[in-house]
Amino acid sequence: MKTVAVLGGGPAGAFAAAGLATAGLKTILFDEKLAWEKPCGGGLTYKAYHQYPFLLDNACPKRLVHQTVLGAPKTGEATMDLAHPLVIYSRLDLNRMLLERAAQAGAAIEKTRIMQIERRDKTWRLRTRDGVAEADYCIIATGARNPLRDVGTEWSAADTMSALGYYVPASQEHIDIQFLPKLEGYIWVFPRCGHLSVGICGKGEPAQMLRARLEAYMEERSIPRKDAVFYSHMLPSLESGGWRRNRVAGDGWMAVGDAAGLVDPITGEGIYYAMRSGDLASQLIANDAHDLTEKAAAYRAALAREFSHDLEFAATLAKRVFLGRFLFRTVPQRMVEFMRRSQRFRDLMQDLFAGTQPYLTLRNRLLRNLNGTLQEAIMSFFLDRVIPENS
Ligand SMILES: Cc1cc2nc3c(=O)[nH]c(=O)nc-3n(C[C@H](O)[C@H](O)[C@H](O)COP(=O)(O)OP(=O)(O)OC[C@H]3O[C@@H](n4cnc5c(N)ncnc54)[C@H](O)[C@@H]3O)c2cc1C
């Protein structure tokens, strides 16, 4: 392997380039924008900074948020202290830090658009806006709107969700998560340095309707839209079939991050999976023990072992979480009620927020705890009626 080209310089590409260059491979990263304010909440879970502590220990501006308020229709809210804070970056700052890290490791960084790629005699020919380049191997990190049709995930409309919002010049200390009637998705308010990222993601609903829901929420909460900057993008949100068909690697290429569909179909978390897949891909490309065919298979296996099986399983849960019913109310309503009344349930939700509770073992944990949770919730419900909290 002489030269590896990394196409795209978001978290996935920047992580891959840093890993490849550190391993001593000649690495060129191409991005048409380089560091930019990619439409995003910018939230990093504990899982991400536990795996990569430099994400916490650096001089880059970021907010550490220790409290989340969850709300559901006609149920009010529940407040949860986070054992591990959510770390929230502006994407301009995060992307810049990750690109600088790749450059420091020795990757060449080029600002240009990749127009087309072609495989000829085991070599890639890359046509860029500014000329032509060659590489022996390609990492596809061009994000959710990957324009390179022959590589990376091939998704249908059902495998995506719209996400849009406003950067609002305001501040608050906590995160808000609001569930909405009949929506497979949610609204978030993330405090960042100097502004809020207020957004909505939803599956199966046109962006205009999502925007109307978000604006109604902002009006209700007196979150000003004056001077706010609108953003919108799409999120991969693979259905079960999409995960099974997912095209993540092929002859001389691996796809990482959003270009490989690696996003949690329930929460929309993608930054961790982008960074981790970039890191795994770089390790396997640098590993001389595999030939090219083995590398693709080894990458698929590594993703499955680390998280893609879990995300595939999450795809089977998503509709039930947002649209399902439990004991005559919607699941989001019950979640908020249980959070208010049961410490066990709050512990479980904290772990889900931190990214330390896999979906694959959620059912068993719920079964183990459900009795206790229900008992706690029922006891607290009746106690409230007999002895109100402040009497
Ligand atoms: C509204 C919204 C909110 C979100 N909030 C969160 C959140 O709070 N936490 C979280 O974990 N995830 C969140 N996500 C998901 C997260 O943004 C993505 O999963 C993450 O950015 C994926 O990283 P990536 O490197 O794969 O792709 P991207 O960050 O999209 O990077 C792709 C890069 O490729 C470049 N590129 C594309 N095409 C070309 C080309 N032809 N030539 C050259 N360069 C090219 C682009 O310029 C870009 O820099 C959110 C997503 C959305 C849409």
Side-chain angles (χ1 to χ4, degrees):
M1 188 91 58
K2 289 177 222 109
T3 305
V4 184
V6 179
L7 316 183
F15 247 79
L20 292 163
T22 303
L25 289 170
K26 186 174 174 205
T27 307
I28 309 185
L29 179 149
F30 300 91
D31 192 296
E32 60 183 331
K33 299 190 189 121
L34 294 181
W36 64 297
E37 190 56 68
K38 193 242 159 190
C40 187
L44 289 183
T45 55
Y46 168 75
K47 174 176 58 190
Y49 58 80
H50 178 68
Q51 178 100 40
Y52 302 111
F54 82 89
L55 293 169
L56 204 53
D57 304 330
N58 61 66
C60 189
K62 58 191 151 316
R63 285 283 300 267
L64 269 60
V65 185
H66 296 266
Q67 204 173 59
T68 297
V69 177
L70 256 88
K74 298 185 188 155
T75 312
E77 295 176 336
T79 300
M80 172 171 71
D81 291 329
L82 300 173
H84 303 291
L86 196 76
V87 176
I88 307 180
Y89 282 93
S90 117
R91 282 297 301 270
L92 176 67
D93 291 332
L94 178 66
N95 284 23
R96 186 185 292 129
M97 174 175 74
L98 297 179
L99 284 168
E100 279 171 8
R101 180 172 169 268
Q104 271 158 21
I109 311 275
E110 204 172 306
K111 184 174 182 182
T112 190
R113 179 170 174 80
I114 300 288
M115 310 300 287
Q116 198 191 19
I117 62 172
E118 201 185 335
R119 186 103 166 121
R120 274 193 214 158
D121 304 330
K122 301 209 174 300
T123 301
W124 285 103
R125 191 166 178 275
L126 316 175
R127 195 161 62 78
T128 74
R129 194 160 36 207
D130 303 295
V132 174
E134 287 200 340
D136 302 290
Y137 206 92
C138 273
I139 294 216
I140 314 302
T142 37
R145 291 185 178 142
N146 172 26
L148 309 167
R149 288 292 141 229
D150 297 332
V151 288
T153 300
E154 298 170 284
W155 45 51
S156 66
D159 294 314
T160 65
M161 65 160 78
S162 296
L164 54 91
Y166 290 92
Y167 299 120
V168 179
S171 73
Q172 69 178 43
E173 290 303 310
H174 65 274
I175 290 164
D176 280 302
I177 300 287
Q178 178 69 41
F179 298 105
L180 299 163
K182 298 191 175 124
L183 180 69
E184 188 179 344
Y186 63 93
I187 284 176
W188 69 86
V189 182
F190 278 9
R192 288 172 159 195
C193 294
H195 65 277
L196 302 175
S197 170
V198 183
I200 185 168
C201 58
K203 207 166 181 180
E205 192 165 299
Q208 277 309 335
M209 280 170 72
L210 291 174
R211 187 169 179 173
R213 287 198 198 236
L214 179 66
E215 290 178 356
Y217 170 86
M218 289 171 76
E219 224 157 281
E220 202 178 287
R221 299 282 175 124
S222 307
I223 302 174
R225 269 192 286 134
K226 189 175 171 302
D227 300 327
V229 177
F230 181 72
Y231 61 82
S232 81
H233 210 278
M234 64 173 272
L235 262 173
S237 179
L238 270 55
E239 300 274 319
S240 305
W243 283 106
R244 281 195 298 275
R245 290 189 299 274
N246 199 10
R247 197 174 57 169
V248 296
D251 178 24
W253 65 270
M254 287 179 195
V256 293
D258 281 14
L262 302 175
V263 172
D264 183 320
I266 296 179
T267 63
E269 178 184 7
I271 301 174
Y272 168 74
Y273 302 110
M275 297 188 299
R276 188 70 191 138
S277 58
D279 195 9
L280 290 171
S282 70
Q283 287 172 30
L284 289 164
I285 292 169
N287 184 345
D288 288 335
H290 304 293
D291 67 22
L292 282 193
T293 323
E294 287 168 348
K295 280 186 198 304
Y299 179 56
R300 275 187 216 102
L303 290 181
R305 202 169 45 243
E306 291 235 355
F307 55 75
S308 67
H309 267 166
D310 201 49
L311 298 184
E312 181 177 343
F313 181 66
T316 66
L317 301 181
K319 286 195 175 43
R320 289 181 228 186
V321 169
F322 291 109
L323 308 173
R325 295 185 73 78
F326 179 63
L327 297 174
F328 313 110
R329 307 207 71 190
T330 66
V331 171
Q333 285 173 325
R334 285 294 175 213
M335 266 164 35
V336 170
E337 284 168 355
F338 285 169
M339 268 178 60
R340 272 205 299 263
R341 296 181 182 280
S342 163
Q343 182 58 46
R344 282 170 218 253
F345 198 77
R346 277 197 296 280
D347 291 345
L348 184 147
M349 290 298 286
Q350 275 201 358
D351 291 348
L352 278 171
F353 263 75
T356 53
Q357 170 60 56
Y359 293 111
L360 283 164
T361 54
L362 185 59
R363 181 189 158 89
N364 280 350
R365 179 161 174 195
L366 274 168
L367 278 176
R368 271 201 319 274
N369 287 326
L370 192 61
N371 248 341
T373 300
L374 280 172
Q375 269 170 30
E376 277 178 308
I378 291 164
M379 276 306 289
S380 122
F381 177 82
F382 284 110
L383 266 180
D384 277 357
R385 266 145 188 76
V386 182
I387 317 168
E389 212 169 297
N390 289 325
S391 66

